[in-house]
Amino acid sequence: MGEMEQLRKEAERLKDDITAARKAVQDATLQDTVSGTAVVGRVQLKTRKTLRGHLAKIYAMHWSTDSKLCVSASQDGKLIVWDSYTTNKVNAIPLKSSWVMTCSYAPSGNMVACGGLDNMCSIYNLKGKDGNVKVMRELAAHTGYLSCCRFLSDAEIITSSGDCTCVLWDIETGTQKTVFIGHMGDCMSLAVSPDFKTFISGACDFTAKLWDIREGQCRQTFSGHESDINAIAFFPNGNAVITGSDDATCKLYDLRSDQEMITYQDSSIMCGVTSIAPSFSGRLILAGYDDFNCNIWDSLKAERVGE
């Protein structure tokens, strides 16, 4: 038996040991705990506003912290900041590369960022002196496409990439502060915790990883999906994460117990999950699928309550 084969077997044994250790401390299941809770009533989605203006596929959007403004990135080569109350365009920013895959709104509302197949994260200052929005920084070091970016503040941003890494950047100097290495496949998405101390990443190695931003270390790894994880988000209280995968399921993982809690799936859903978000309370999970549907799940009961 070759050395590689031995190492592979040892890795599998260690994985089994971790699974057994997790099971040993699991004194209750979510299903048992919420057995007395009623399922949420049927949720009917209504179109409130339609934001018109893009001329090609819209690849990403992100809300500002005020839940009024949002930014969208389209392959028409435009980054548009919208006022969702009036549906007016606040800014229309022409991009150097139209192959954009992600965009992000800074918590302060002062900046937006985007990136994609140009392997670069471009940051724009919305509050320029003359009112014009200009490229403030171009963060280039990834050797693969930029799949996701999220601001920590006006000074720092985290990016995930097809080169299997995530990077924490200093926006002022345009340099890498920390490179987060550990995924074995393209990193597809990331989400920052509510306290901005950790972030979670989902990748094509079928795992999600929790990273400590200050220490630059992987804290926890969550497996269970059978295909790429395309979308990931924190539960509103920061104690759990939700993932959406090409295996047509969403999962809820609890960070404190280091366990997979529940899987959201339906035999009639055969296509992958492309986006995911919890409601403000966390009771509902909204997931977008490859068949252009948005399904709504009761997060406690794992039942579909709307689409």
Side-chain angles (χ1 to χ4, degrees), residues 1-288:
M1 189 164 54
E3 193 183 354
M4 276 304 287
E5 193 55 40
Q6 275 184 315
L7 291 170
R8 207 171 269 123
K9 283 205 164 155
E10 187 173 351
E12 288 303 320
R13 187 181 57 75
L14 288 169
K15 276 185 193 169
D16 292 341
D17 289 350
I18 291 167
T19 305
R22 279 175 170 162
K23 281 220 164 71
V25 296
Q26 187 178 16
D27 56 1
T29 66
L30 184 61
Q31 284 89 332
D32 292 344
T33 310
V34 302
S35 57
T37 308
V39 179
V40 172
R42 192 97 187 127
V43 179
Q44 196 63 52
L45 285 181
K46 273 215 288 267
T47 304
R48 300 286 179 192
K49 294 277 196 298
T50 303
L51 308 176
R52 298 183 197 281
H54 281 300
L55 305 172
K57 184 176 180 179
I58 298 165
Y59 236 89
M61 66 81 59
H62 192 221
W63 285 99
S64 68
T65 43
D66 64 6
S67 294
K68 181 189 178 192
L69 301 175
C70 65
V71 62
S72 60
S74 165
Q75 290 192 345
D76 61 9
K78 287 279 194 295
L79 199 63
I80 297 181
V81 177
W82 305 85
D83 182 325
S84 67
Y85 292 5
T86 63
T87 71
N88 292 338
K89 298 177 192 68
V90 181
N91 301 100
I93 306 162
L95 305 174
K96 280 188 191 173
S97 165
S98 62
W99 301 108
V100 65
M101 294 173 70
T102 182
C103 61
S104 178
Y105 218 123
S108 64
N110 295 331
M111 299 174 190
V112 291
C114 69
L117 296 181
D118 57 356
N119 299 6
M120 208 159 53
C121 181
S122 304
I123 296 173
Y124 298 84
N125 184 7
L126 299 175
K127 304 285 198 285
K129 290 196 176 102
D130 55 358
N132 288 338
V133 178
K134 294 195 181 75
V135 177
M136 185 182 137
R137 248 333 143 263
E138 289 181 335
L139 307 174
H142 280 299
T143 55
Y145 59 86
L146 200 82
S147 57
C148 193
C149 60
R150 288 292 178 259
F151 284 94
L152 293 179
S153 65
D154 283 356
E156 294 178 319
I157 192 168
I158 296 175
T159 57
S160 63
S161 168
D163 63 12
C164 308
T165 69
C166 298
V167 173
L168 172 65
W169 300 84
D170 184 312
I171 294 171
E172 195 56 49
T173 61
T175 55
Q176 295 174 306
K177 290 176 88 167
T178 315
V179 181
F180 301 89
I181 300 170
H183 278 299
M184 304 294 284
D186 299 15
C187 288
M188 297 303 291
S189 57
L190 72 93
V192 179
S193 64
D195 63 6
F196 292 99
K197 289 179 179 169
T198 59
F199 76 94
I200 191 99
S201 59
C204 291
D205 59 6
F206 313 168
T207 68
K209 287 183 181 288
L210 180 78
W211 306 86
D212 187 305
I213 293 171
R214 280 197 304 189
E215 291 183 12
Q217 298 291 323
C218 176
R219 282 261 160 267
Q220 286 165 273
T221 300
F222 298 103
S223 52
H225 278 296
E226 292 167 12
S227 191
D228 306 354
I229 296 176
N230 295 322
I232 203 157
F234 266 92
F235 211 62
N237 65 8
N239 290 329
V241 294
I242 47 176
T243 56
S245 166
D246 268 344
D247 63 11
T249 70
C250 304
K251 289 181 184 290
L252 174 74
Y253 296 96
D254 185 77
L255 300 183
R256 293 172 298 182
S257 64
D258 199 31
Q259 306 272 347
E260 178 188 321
M261 289 280 109
I262 200 162
T263 300
Y264 308 96
Q265 62 187 355
D266 192 285
S267 57
S268 65
I269 300 173
M270 307 294 284
C271 58
V273 182
T274 53
S275 57
I276 197 164
S279 62
F280 275 129
S281 68
R283 186 64 200 270
L284 299 176
I285 290 169
L286 295 95

